Amino acid sequence: MGWALVWGLAVGLAVWLAASYEVDELLDEALRDSAELMTALVAQTPDAADAADAARGIGAVPAKHFAWQLVAADGRVLLRSVRAPQAAWHTAPRAGFADVPGWRIYGQAAGHDGRFLYAAQTRDERAEARSEVALGAVLSALAVGLLGQLWLRARVRHELEPLQQLSQRLAQWRLDDGPPSAALGVPARQELAPVHEAIEGLAVRLASRLAHEQAFSAHAAHALRTPLAGIDAQLAVAARSAPPELAERLVRVRGAAARLQHVVAALLGLFRSVDGTASLQRGPVQLAALVARLPAFALEVQVQGEDSLDADADLLSAALLNLLDNAQRHGARHVILSLTAAGHGLQMVDDGPGVTAARREQLAQALAEERYADTGGLGLMLADRVARAHGGRVTLPAVAQGFAVAMNLGPPGAA
């Protein structure tokens, strides 16, 4: 709209400059024609008395936009119109166009006795005529510019509509939906065909790369889990038969091995959650029984509620392992796990030092936008990925003491 107004004013100014010149030309031509007409009538009378009578006949015709004078050779005004001044515009005969203060004049000889007839127009009238032309030009240009802008907006909106439809379809498409060609449909414009082809190629490359990464991570995690379990078993046997001075070290090594097992389980859960419903195995899960099967932490874990939770047990175990590990590493000693009122999620509250309100808002925003690099660790990222795989998400409620994590898993079938 702003550019339409600017261009309308620019066009109006250009038209006004051109029209002002033309208006001056037309007014000068009208002055000359009027002077020639009156001169032709006055020149037909040979003496001054008859010329005055002829001039009076001309003066009987109203002259709204012009004034005139019939001047003798000695500079006396023989006759004039009502609007003309009493003094002669020129004391000496002067033919052609001339400018005097307030007037534009055209003079022409009116006989052989030195008489001259002058037709004139005020500068104010000429300025008024130019202003009317300028106002009309500017208003017309603005009207054309605004109408053109409205038409152009409507036209551009119509032309961009296929792109908006393509964006909407692309936003609803997921990698696990298969090739995007079915979701995107036939290109609405011939110019969009290369865009469709580029999106199709990009989707194929992304799906292939994601499949390779998931396969590699899953194989690597499985390959690590078995030897880690053997290491843990051997460390347990060695710790029972080792002398006291070595037993304590073996216990610490076993704790580190257990920690590594938790990380491997988290990786498995993470890459399973990326696949969404393709690998999700939901079913009734008793939270207390699930927590009892988890590796022992130096935490007092209290489970409130006996109702079951509809979730994937393996994914939920991986998420809880890392959340509990986070709580322990940040100084918590007591953790309360409880089911939400709707039975579609759980909440974990620890008694650790917690975080500031500003930091909690930063973490919540990072989880909402899936900026997991800003969450500071694997625990919240894995919990959020598991929650999203179930059709929910992770939130961070404000609590009076400690730190709280709420996992909404969504109703069955919401993934």
Side-chain angles (χ1 to χ4, degrees):
M1 185 66 71
W3 281 111
L5 292 175
V6 170
W7 282 110
L9 290 174
V11 172
L13 177 62
V15 172
W16 174 73
L17 292 176
S20 296
Y21 177 79
E22 294 297 330
V23 167
D24 285 336
E25 291 290 326
L26 290 174
L27 293 177
D28 286 345
E29 185 177 351
L31 279 178
R32 185 174 57 249
D33 291 343
S34 299
E36 289 176 353
L37 175 61
M38 290 186 289
T39 299
L41 295 176
V42 172
Q44 295 176 1
T45 59
D47 54 53
D50 294 337
D53 292 337
R56 290 188 183 92
I58 298 172
V61 180
K64 180 179 179 180
H65 298 290
F66 299 96
W68 54 270
Q69 288 179 345
L70 181 64
V71 181
D74 58 1
R76 290 179 299 107
V77 177
L78 300 176
L79 201 64
R80 65 182 179 86
S81 66
V82 177
R83 301 179 63 202
Q86 295 180 357
W89 281 308
H90 295 298
T91 55
R94 183 173 179 178
F97 288 103
D99 291 314
V100 298
W103 294 91
R104 174 72 170 172
I105 303 171
Y106 181 80
Q108 185 169 331
H112 300 288
D113 54 356
R115 294 173 297 173
F116 259 75
L117 191 141
Y118 298 100
Q121 187 179 29
T122 64
R123 288 291 181 184
D124 293 338
E125 290 177 340
R126 294 172 73 91
E128 181 182 358
R130 286 194 297 268
S131 299
E132 291 177 356
V133 172
L135 181 61
V138 170
L139 292 179
S140 299
L142 286 176
V144 172
L146 293 177
L147 290 176
Q149 193 265 352
L150 294 176
W151 174 84
L152 184 61
R153 285 188 62 184
R155 191 64 187 171
V156 169
R157 186 182 297 111
H158 175 72
E159 292 297 329
L160 293 180
E161 186 176 355
L163 280 177
Q164 295 177 350
Q165 295 176 354
L166 177 62
S167 300
Q168 294 172 358
R169 294 173 182 172
L170 190 60
Q172 298 173 356
W173 174 78
R174 295 292 181 269
L175 279 175
D176 50 6
D177 293 338
S181 55
L184 300 182
V186 180
R189 295 279 194 277
Q190 183 179 0
E191 295 80 4
L192 293 180
V195 179
H196 280 244
E197 295 176 359
I199 293 175
E200 184 80 20
L202 178 61
V204 171
R205 294 193 298 272
L206 286 176
S208 176
R209 181 169 181 175
L210 181 61
H212 286 307
E213 290 182 353
Q214 291 176 351
F216 170 78
S217 300
H219 288 312
H222 280 295
L224 288 172
R225 187 165 57 178
T226 299
L228 284 174
I231 291 173
D232 181 71
Q234 294 297 325
L235 288 172
V237 174
R240 286 197 297 268
S241 59
E245 62 272 12
L246 294 179
E248 184 178 354
R249 295 183 180 179
L250 290 174
V251 169
R252 288 199 298 268
V253 173
R254 188 184 180 193
R259 179 81 178 276
L260 185 57
Q261 284 182 319
H262 299 165
V263 174
V264 171
L267 290 175
L268 283 174
L270 176 62
F271 283 95
R272 279 192 55 197
S273 67
V274 172
D275 288 335
T277 58
S279 59
L280 199 66
Q281 300 174 0
R282 298 187 73 146
V285 176
Q286 294 293 333
L287 186 57
L290 178 67
V291 172
R293 293 195 299 268
L294 296 179
F297 287 90
L299 288 171
E300 180 184 350
V301 181
Q302 179 184 355
V303 179
Q304 296 179 347
E306 299 293 337
D307 295 335
S308 63
L309 181 68
D310 186 83
D312 186 302
D314 293 337
L315 288 180
L316 188 58
S317 297
L320 287 177
L321 276 172
N322 283 268
L323 289 177
L324 292 173
D325 183 64
N326 278 358
Q328 179 179 329
R329 286 189 295 108
H330 287 86
R333 293 294 179 265
H334 183 76
V335 173
I336 298 177
L337 288 173
S338 59
L339 300 179
T340 58
H344 301 319
L346 57 89
Q347 178 170 293
M348 189 189 84
V349 182
D350 63 44
D351 63 348
V355 296
T356 63
R359 177 55 179 164
R360 183 175 57 82
E361 290 296 331
Q362 292 175 357
L363 291 173
Q365 188 68 23
L367 290 175
E369 299 175 359
E370 300 185 67
R371 292 184 286 105
Y372 297 126
D374 297 335
T375 59
L378 183 63
L380 288 178
M381 178 183 71
L382 178 60
D384 189 62
R385 292 303 308 173
V386 170
R388 290 179 185 273
H390 284 77
R393 53 167 296 188
V394 164
T395 57
L396 304 177
V399 291
Q401 181 183 359
F403 188 75
V405 178
M407 289 183 63
N408 177 19
L409 303 179

